[in-house]
């Protein structure tokens, strides 16, 4: 009897508490309750920028700051901050996927876009391909916001694709391209499509299908810059793309549009009374990391930072309604500041002498191979080139030995090269001579690399604007998405 009484008493209290919570929550349904999963942030961000530097963690960011500082000042110890490293809110996120401490971009992107863990190679679905994970971009679109997806690599690549596609493999490029056309998103820009007609090139062009679904497709610099809100849904592809349908590396870019250009155009097209969500990926920081090319990496981080400057201009006009989040999906290359040969010193001015990416340098090697051929090639031919294009004027006997061996390897047609352990550890499947040149230059600058793949270190998060303080602390990559959804008034789906 008394226990029953107690039960009634307790349940009355519980009901009262629940009722009180409902009353508090009712007017806005957004009151944050401490510790509650997916608690909604009280104030909503109307304009949301999500900048993802692929393969960009602290070493890439620090290196760029030291590089800028070295160039801009007579004080050799100066470090120039980047636009985003001065954001008032900073945190760290762990990046492991559902099946590895070293994530790939598909699993990391799925976490950053939807708040769910999945396995490496899997895009926007669970590892068994049974559950689709809705991304914040899809939710934002449903809510009536405009949505933009910008990348310096192909727009069907893993990081942009996690925001609109759901595939058991990131390599299902045709299916991903179809998902792009069906997304209803307002602005796709930057790189092209890797497989618009499918693996066998026998399918209807995905861009044609997108056109039928109302997209305007532009592939001309003037046409892109002249786009206006009257053009409706747009797919804007940089003309003259580099390898793999990606924009050129910043270090190689001449008069082509920059990531900042695509970002400012996006802001212009997406700005509307219902707000917008725009994801901008700096995709080639990752590629430069895979190739262990530090100069190319820092130039791409600077290009990414310039794109963030465009968001900051918008932020200055709408500081109470805008959120900018900047992070990476994982680290690439095992880049670090410090090398055995340079001990406690760095010489970042040395990488400023590099005038082109490894990718452009590869083309010169290919041309040379066509005449020199297997068993041919002489390092002497290359010494003036290494001086002019990489500032490598002081080569030791050991450097020359490494370069000669690599040059000999590069004179063999790629398909005929031996694929043994030593070759992989030295060159990672890249052009041996290019790889050795950048390794030697980076090492002289005091920059080390440990891998041609990704690493499992944590990645920093920088936030400014509405709800920015939620990004302080040390959390998981899935939490980045959950925090953003909360600030955008979107419901994280379990
Ligand atoms: Zn990545």
């Amino acid at each position: 009897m008394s226990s029953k009484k107690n039960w009634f008493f307790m349940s009355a209290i519980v009901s009262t508490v629940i009722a009180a919570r409902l009353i508090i929550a009712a007017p806005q349904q957004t009151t944050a309750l401490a510790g509650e999963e997916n608690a909604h942030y009280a104030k909503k961000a109307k304009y949301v920028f999500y900048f993802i530097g692929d393969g960009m963690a602290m070493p890439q960011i620090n290196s760029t700051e030291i590089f800028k500082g070295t160039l801009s000042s007579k004080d050799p110890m100066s470090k120039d901050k980047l636009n985003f490293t001065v954001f008032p809110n900073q945190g760290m996120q762990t990046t492991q996927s559902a099946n590895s401490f070293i994530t790939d971009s598909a699993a990391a992107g799925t976490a950053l876009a939807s708040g769910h863990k999945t396995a490496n190679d899997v895009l926007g679905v669970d590892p068994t391909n049974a559950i689709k994970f809705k991304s914040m971009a899809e939710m934002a679109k449903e809510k009536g916001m405009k949505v933009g997806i910008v990348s310096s690599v192909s727009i069907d690549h893993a990081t942009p694709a996690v925001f609109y596609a759901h595939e058991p493999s990131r390599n299902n490029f045709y299916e991903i391209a179809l998902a792009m056309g069906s997304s209803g998103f307002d602005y796709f820009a930057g790189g092209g499509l890797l497989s618009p007609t499918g693996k066998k090139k026998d399918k209807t062009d995905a861009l044609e299908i997108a056109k039928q679904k109302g997209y305007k497709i532009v592939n001309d610099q003037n046409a892109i810059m002249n786009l206006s809100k009257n053009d409706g849904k747009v797919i804007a592809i940089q003309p003259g793309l580099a390898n793999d349908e990606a924009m050129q590396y910043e270090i190689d870019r001449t008069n082509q549009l920059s990531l900042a250009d695509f970002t400012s155009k996006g802001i212009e097209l997406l700005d509307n009374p219902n707000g917008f969500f725009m994801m901008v990926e700096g995709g080639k920081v990752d590629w430069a990391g895979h190739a262990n090319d530090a100069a190319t990496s820092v130039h791409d981080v600077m290009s990414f930072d310039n794109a963030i400057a465009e968001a900051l201009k918008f932020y200055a006009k709408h500081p109470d309604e805008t959120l900018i989040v900047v992070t990476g999906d994982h680290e690439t290359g095992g880049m670090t500041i410090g090398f055995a040969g340079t001990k406690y010193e760095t010489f970042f001015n040395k990488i400023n002498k590099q005038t082109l990416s490894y990718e452009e340098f590869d083309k010169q090697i290919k041309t040379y191979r066509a005449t020199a051929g297997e068993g041919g090639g002489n390092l002497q031919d290359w010494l003036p080139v290494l001086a002019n294009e990489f500032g490598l004027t002081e080569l030791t006997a050991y450097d020359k030995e490494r370069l000669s061996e690599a040059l000999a390897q590069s004179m063999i047609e790629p398909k005929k090269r031996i694929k043994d352990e030593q070759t992989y550890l030295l060159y990672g499947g890249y052009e041996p001579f290019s790889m050795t040149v950048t390794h030697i230059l980076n090492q002289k600058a005091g920059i080390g690399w440990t891998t041609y793949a990704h690493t499992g270190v944590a990645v920093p998060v920088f936030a400014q604007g509405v709800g920015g303080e939620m990004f302080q602390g040390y959390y998981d990559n899935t939490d980045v998405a959950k925090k953003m959804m909360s600030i955008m008034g979107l419901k994280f789906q379990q």
Side-chain angles (χ1 to χ4, degrees), residues 54-55 105 286 329-330 454:
D54 204 307
S105 296
D286 175 68
D329 57 347
H330 51 76
H454 301 168

Side-chain angles (χ1 to χ4, degrees), residues 463-482:
Q464 174 157 325
V466 183
E469 67 277 9
M470 283 184 74
F471 294 89
Q472 292 179 2
Y474 183 44
Y475 38 84
D476 189 54
N477 57 3
T478 50
D479 294 318
V480 180
K482 290 176 192 169

